Amino acid sequence: MSSDDPLLQPYTLRHLEIRNRVFSSAHEPAYSEDGMPKDRYRDYHVEKARGGVGLTMTAGSAVVAEDSPPAFGNLHAYDDAIVPWIRRLTDGVHEHGAACMIQITHLGRRTSWNHDDWLPVLSASPVREPAHRTTPKIAEDWDIERIIDKYADAAERMQAGGMDGIEIEASGHLFDQFLSPLTNQREDAWGGDDERLMNFPTAVLEAIRERVGAGFIVGVRMAIDEVLPGGIETPRGLQVLGVWERAGLVDFVNVIRGHIETDAALSEVIPIHGMASAPHLDFAGMVRQHTDLTVMHAAKIDDVATARHSIREGKLDLVGMTRAQLADPHIVRKIIEGREDQIRPCVGATYCLDRIYEAGEALCIHNAATSREAEMPHDIEPALAQRRIVIIGAGPAGLEAARVAGERGHDVIVLEAMPWPGGQLNLATRNPRRRDLAGIVDWRVAECARLGVDLRCDMYADAAAVLALEAEVVIVATGGQPRTFETEAGNQRVVTSWDVLGGNATPEGDVLFFDDNGTHSAMSAAEMIARSGASLEIVTPERMFAVEVGGLNHVAYARAFNETDTRITLHQRVRSVRPEAGRLCVEIGSDHSDHRTVRQVDWVVTDTGLDALAELYFELRPSSSNGGAVDYGALMEGRTQSLVRQPEGTFQLFRIGDAVSSRNIHAAVYDALRLVKDL
Ligand SMILES: Cc1cc2nc3c(=O)[nH]c(=O)nc-3n(C[C@H](O)[C@H](O)[C@H](O)COP(=O)(O)O)c2cc1C
Ligand code: SF4
């Protein structure tokens, strides 16, 4: 695209020149340390600035007061100690030409009471928030006065730290918990009618404006319509926005449509794969027709064409591509350099967001460099000397190894036994809802082609075939295979989730699904069975179903199981399966007692995890120089592998991904990047 690309046009937000129309919306990635945006946090945003983003909205919900306990690693905007850290962050981003702002908030009831300082959680009224299971105390007059001041203090700190502006979170947080009649049931000065419902948020904005002056940019990320009966509806949302606009209290609106108090609701605001692209873009465009404020918006605008459309058609002033830049922080740079086809796609897996609620920091499912900028490169350096590298297996691990080795300039051959690349991902994408995951494979295959990698499919590789290629490095990425469930009298109708996903088995009638793994493979197969019309019972020994699947990904499975009357039985495992009168008799029992019950079904499907497929690795080990050994110190410190255990060996041997042990896609690509970037 040439320089008349709508996305590349500069934009002036009051006095601030933003170099193009692409922004990254606020998202707390939980990279903070002690509530401060230290090196990891800074590097993450600086990488996006290097990659060309126009504006990066840092933090997600940096908290303005101690009684807003961080729900997921939020920054402590209430602490003076943050100012120098903010200054380092803004300096780093500005140095690379991007604008930098920060979202601040008081979470109100949208947090948990049992961590950090254990101060009572409060809100306008004691309405429980389902997502955090918190019943807040009613904010008293001294709370309200204190928190209004805290907002202003936090805004002043951000201004002192060199931020170009701030965004107030007004979607599901204290600010709009006062505005929405659903969460504000007060009858005092702070609630009771339309005017008084506005008193707290308006007081916050006035206090901020008074403190930071007219020259500092202040905006709201606002649910213009909560899409909840009795909540804020569009006319009211627009009216409130108009009041703040006319009073000069806000300079931009970042449009949200929906509410976020349950996982199901949140997934409509932040849609995952299998859901419609850009579902609220037209709504945001409608808001733009009703205001002179700068209009921003982000919600699954993950491809450049849709982003470009949103600007060209005048729906937005600035378009958010947030997860898209988690997947590839260099989107804008690639557009400018005419390399749009090299953009690593966001496949909507939402591993990033699910991780902050379940496991810690946000990580992209297929970009292991994101948030590890200090150690893992987004741009791979060429190697000093070219080597021949043979990789066996073209799943995510093998393809990532091949891509990185190709970028290093090596002579790379990939041998894949199947007629096509992809490995286990080809099973995952059999669920139509998860088809977008194919982007993980397609992008790597295209990159490998560009880099001259020799990808040979339909090529079963035994040790002799590998040795004949006279490689200097051999990487085994042969993946895993499903564990089968031992039954008393084997039966063709006792199959694995892989049989179902691969189309080798089509369970019908009464189906019992034993999930002792808790991951997507089980849930995806179960979803397909449920949707096929079979009568399904899922049995798991865990305390919840799909224990390894995060909250937003849970939603689609839960929907499928609810819509199909699927029965979910927790705390039970299958003890035995035997044929009986043409059907299967399944005995199930819990780990907690000796009590047993019996089910008569037509099919049993199991998912009890994977075993590494590593025969080839063990066959090759004796001929290798390192005997397969990895120098973990060198791996962690970014030094090249040089262990020699068998001096007569002719090549270095490594294995990565599920061929080592069953993990996930992120682990597979991280194994590959971490090893191969230094080969
Ligand atoms: C890891 C993660 C954390 C997020 N945290 C916040 C947050 O704290 N505040 C907020 O307003 N939005 C948050 N979001 C939502 C994003 O700002 C954005 O609205 C969402 O990702 C949809 O845009 P996208 O499809 O371009 O990613 C978060 C998103 C992600 C992926
Ligand atoms: S984890 Fe998935 S949704 Fe999140 S950035 Fe990566 S590809 Fe996109």
Side-chain angles (χ1 to χ4, degrees), residues 465-647:
V466 174
L467 293 173
L469 291 171
E470 298 185 344
E472 289 153 90
V473 180
V474 173
I475 300 175
V476 175
T478 41
Q481 62 183 356
R483 290 187 175 164
T484 48
F485 190 78
E486 294 297 320
T487 63
E488 195 179 298
N491 190 297
Q492 289 205 330
R493 282 180 283 120
V494 182
V495 297
T496 68
S497 55
W498 278 34
D499 293 317
V500 176
L501 291 169
N504 300 326
T506 312
E508 296 171 321
D510 294 320
V511 182
L512 186 145
F513 195 118
F514 176 44
D515 177 17
D516 195 8
N517 194 20
T519 62
H520 280 286
S521 56
M523 287 305 102
S524 233
E527 180 181 353
M528 286 169 71
I529 296 167
R531 293 280 188 209
S532 75
S535 167
L536 179 65
E537 178 180 6
I538 298 170
V539 172
T540 174
E542 302 286 350
R543 285 183 290 156
M544 61 188 284
F545 85 91
V547 69
E548 295 288 335
V549 173
L552 285 183
N553 274 281
H554 242 263
V555 171
Y557 295 125
R559 184 167 295 148
F561 301 146
N562 276 287
E563 285 173 1
T564 55
D565 289 330
T566 296
R567 193 168 148 196
I568 297 178
T569 304
L570 305 177
H571 288 156
Q572 298 284 320
R573 60 173 74 247
V574 170
R575 301 288 173 181
S576 67
V577 183
R578 57 188 164 77
E580 191 178 274
R583 302 189 86 202
L584 297 170
C585 178
V586 187
E587 189 184 57
I588 62 173
S590 95
D591 297 337
H592 307 285
S593 86
D594 294 331
H595 181 71
R596 299 278 189 271
T597 48
V598 165
R599 305 274 198 272
Q600 305 286 341
V601 297
D602 300 300
W603 288 78
V604 172
V605 184
T606 65
D607 193 319
T608 53
L610 299 185
D611 286 318
L613 253 181
E615 286 86 349
L616 179 62
Y617 167 80
F618 285 107
E619 277 175 45
L620 290 168
R621 249 177 41 151
S623 321
S624 69
S625 57
N626 62 331
V630 181
D631 179 344
Y632 280 149
L635 187 74
M636 311 293 277
E637 287 161 21
R639 288 181 282 112
T640 196
Q641 294 289 319
S642 56
L643 285 183
V644 177
R645 289 167 62 87
Q646 302 168 161

Side-chain angles (χ1 to χ4, degrees), residues 385-403:
Q386 193 193 53
R387 305 168 84 187
R388 168 165 281 204
I389 300 186
V390 170
I391 298 162
I392 303 101
L399 286 175
E400 175 72 350
R403 177 189 78 83

Side-chain angles (χ1 to χ4, degrees), residues 665-678:
I665 296 168
H666 182 83
V669 299
Y670 190 21
D671 274 6
L673 174 64
R674 181 154 58 172
L675 174 74
V676 182
K677 74 178 174 51
D678 298 312

Side-chain angles (χ1 to χ4, degrees), residues 25-28 60-61 103 169 221 270 298-300 322-323 353:
S25 63
H27 58 290
E28 180 44 64
S61 325
Q103 182 185 72
E169 175 64 300
R221 185 166 212 195
I270 308 178
K300 204 170 189 295
T322 306
R323 284 169 294 175
L353 185 56

Side-chain angles (χ1 to χ4, degrees), residues 23-31 44 59-62 72 74 103 107 167 169-171 173 221 254 256 266 269-271 297-302 320-326 346 350-357 361-363:
F23 83 106
S24 169
S25 63
H27 58 290
E28 180 44 64
Y31 305 150
Y44 168 67
S61 325
F72 33 79
N74 313 60
Q103 182 185 72
L107 291 159
E167 174 182 86
E169 175 64 300
S171 167
H173 293 204
R221 185 166 212 195
N254 184 352
I256 296 282
L266 182 64
V269 175
I270 308 178
H297 172 66
K300 204 170 189 295
I301 302 173
D302 45 24
M321 300 187 76
T322 306
R323 284 169 294 175
Q325 286 173 100
L326 256 151
C346 172
T350 314
Y351 180 66
C352 47
L353 185 56
D354 275 346
R355 268 190 64 90
I356 66 168
Y357 290 109
E361 82 281 53
L363 296 172

Side-chain angles (χ1 to χ4, degrees), residues 213-236:
F216 190 61
I217 293 169
V218 178
V220 280
R221 185 166 212 195
M222 181 177 174
I224 300 291
D225 193 319
E226 291 186 286
V227 193
L228 258 183
I232 297 167
E233 293 180 356
T234 305
R236 167 69 171 161

